[in-house]
Amino acid sequence: MAAPRPVRTPCPPSRLLLPLLCCALASRRTGAMALQPPSITVLRTSAESPRLGDSVTVSCEATSGLPELTLLYWLGNGSFVEKLHPDGAVREGTVLEEPRGAGVALRRDLHFSSLDACHLRTNFTCVVLSPLGVDTRELRWPPPAPGLG
């Protein structure tokens, strides 16, 4: 008796949709940004030397040639911010888009309602992700203002 043949199941159509869509969008675009991976261009805080208890906003800006398929988000110690801070003490703003050349500049803020020592010890990372690649940038807090460390 012959051994049974393994049954090959075709790749589900949903697994093919994203790569096909990416190729179609990338082929329609022209210019320098069209096939470039996304990149974080700016990471800045609203205060040069934030004090504990201050309300602080950190902005992450990135560029992407495929804005329709690009995600820009924040992580805290490798977890999504809303999971790490369900109380809303730290929250992400909405993603803002601005056309720039052949691509788009994206910005997403991270809001701290009241900065505390725990936040200074948390590794906050901005992530920009598209089918063309990923870029990350860690938030480096400036030293706390004197007398409040």
Side-chain angles (χ1 to χ4, degrees), residues 9-88:
T9 57
C11 185
S14 62
R15 293 186 76 196
L16 295 174
L17 185 59
L18 184 59
L20 289 173
L21 183 60
C22 293
C23 290
L25 285 172
S27 67
R28 284 189 354 182
R29 297 214 176 250
T30 58
M33 298 255 330
L35 297 177
Q36 297 292 320
S39 91
I40 295 175
T41 56
V42 176
L43 193 66
R44 76 173 149 254
T45 63
S46 60
E48 286 186 25
S49 200
R51 296 177 178 263
L52 296 179
D54 282 356
S55 173
V56 177
T57 298
V58 181
S59 296
C60 180
E61 295 180 16
T63 57
S64 174
L66 293 174
E68 304 90 352
L69 299 173
T70 301
L71 299 173
L72 182 61
Y73 57 94
W74 285 92
L75 297 175
N77 291 338
S79 295
F80 290 109
V81 172
E82 58 273 2
K83 182 177 180 183
L84 192 62
H85 294 281
D87 60 354

